[in-house]
Amino acid sequence: MSNGDKKAVQDDRREYFRVDDSVRLSITPVPDDQLDSLFERLEQNIAGGFTVMSSLAAISGEMPISMRRIENSDPDVAAYLKALDRKIEVLGRAFIAQESALVEEPARPVNLSAGGMGMLVNECYEPGQVLEIKMLLFPSFTGVLMYGEVVECSPNESAGEDGYHYSLRLAFTHLREQDRDLLIRHVLRCQSQELRQHAHDERGED
């Protein structure tokens, strides 16, 4: 198996890693006659300012190898470039704060993977319906825009406790590859944090 094939298999496996998370999100049903134009805008990276942080994150993901080389040859230049990167990140967060109403929305629990997600909602959606999902990840403050198809929407048995009436499962159908990679990294990071917390709790019990 070639290195490229191995990476594809690893990414496919990571796509199905799932983690419980807390995010801010909006859900918008997409009319059939708008699907093609919205998908085209997404693929051409002209989906709007909400995705600015995910685009910056994709660029940053290409930099580590070059940055290590610069650190080895000229630490001062490397420190300067890192400071510039932090400045750009601050500007990106400020842009999203002005651009997106999601910043004011309360976080809600989701079960997230790079291939789909489960969440609680107050509106019932028909299986097969396409939804536009805008999701704000933390702590990176990264906005991800994707489209997904409803797999299942069923009554939420604990609606009296959490206030949501339905449980929704969604499979992502249109997602920029750079955003899929970002979700994979986010899920793996959350899993690592859970494992560290679990190990810490076990040591505390001992």
Side-chain angles (χ1 to χ4, degrees), residues 41 46-54 92 95-96 99-100 134 143:
R41 287 177 60 84
I46 53 176
F50 180 72
T51 59
V52 63
M53 284 297 290
S54 60
F95 188 84
I96 285 188
E99 173 80 10
S100 175
K134 285 185 175 181

Side-chain angles (χ1 to χ4, degrees), residues 1-205:
M1 181 182 293
S2 68
N3 290 336
D5 291 338
K6 289 180 180 178
K7 183 180 185 302
V9 170
Q10 290 172 347
D11 287 348
D12 286 343
R13 289 174 178 171
R14 289 175 178 177
E15 181 175 328
Y16 295 101
F17 290 171
R18 308 190 70 88
V19 66
D20 291 326
D21 198 6
S22 182
V23 303
R24 290 181 172 88
L25 60 83
S26 69
I27 305 170
T28 306
V30 181
D32 291 341
D33 59 355
Q34 295 182 19
L35 288 175
D36 290 341
S37 62
L38 290 173
F39 294 162
E40 184 177 357
R41 287 177 60 84
L42 182 63
E43 291 168 1
Q44 293 179 354
N45 292 334
I46 53 176
F50 180 72
T51 59
V52 63
M53 284 297 290
S54 60
S55 296
L56 290 173
I59 296 172
S60 295
E62 301 171 0
M63 295 170 56
I65 295 178
S66 297
M67 184 61 72
R68 282 196 294 269
R69 291 173 181 166
I70 296 173
E71 285 177 330
N72 290 333
S73 61
D74 196 328
D76 289 337
V77 172
Y80 178 74
L81 292 175
K82 288 180 179 179
L84 287 179
D85 193 45
R86 289 194 296 271
K87 279 187 174 182
I88 293 172
E89 182 179 346
V90 169
L91 290 174
R93 293 189 179 201
F95 188 84
I96 285 188
Q98 294 179 351
E99 173 80 10
S100 175
L102 281 185
V103 176
E104 305 297 331
E105 290 292 321
R108 70 167 76 183
V110 297
N111 184 256
L112 180 64
S113 78
M117 63 190 300
M119 72 198 91
L120 297 175
V121 295
N122 276 324
E123 182 175 349
C124 187
Y125 300 97
E126 292 295 326
Q129 186 173 8
V130 176
L131 305 177
E132 179 185 84
I133 304 295
K134 285 185 175 181
M135 181 165 55
L136 199 57
L137 301 173
F138 290 92
S140 63
F141 216 76
T142 302
V144 181
L145 172 65
M146 80 263 313
Y147 296 90
E149 186 175 297
V150 175
V151 176
E152 181 183 23
C153 193
S154 57
N156 176 23
E157 296 179 356
S158 58
E161 300 175 11
D162 50 43
Y164 292 101
H165 299 295
Y166 300 97
S167 177
L168 173 68
R169 288 198 300 118
L170 189 76
F172 299 145
T173 57
H174 289 77
L175 176 66
R176 295 186 304 175
E177 195 59 35
Q178 64 190 47
D179 290 337
R180 192 179 300 277
D181 290 342
L182 187 152
L183 283 179
I184 289 173
R185 293 195 300 270
H186 178 80
V187 168
L188 291 175
R189 190 179 303 115
C190 288
Q191 287 183 326
S192 296
Q193 291 174 346
E194 287 181 357
L195 290 173
R196 286 196 297 269
Q197 184 61 48
H198 181 69
H200 179 270
D201 292 343
E202 286 189 337
R203 288 195 299 271
E205 290 177 359

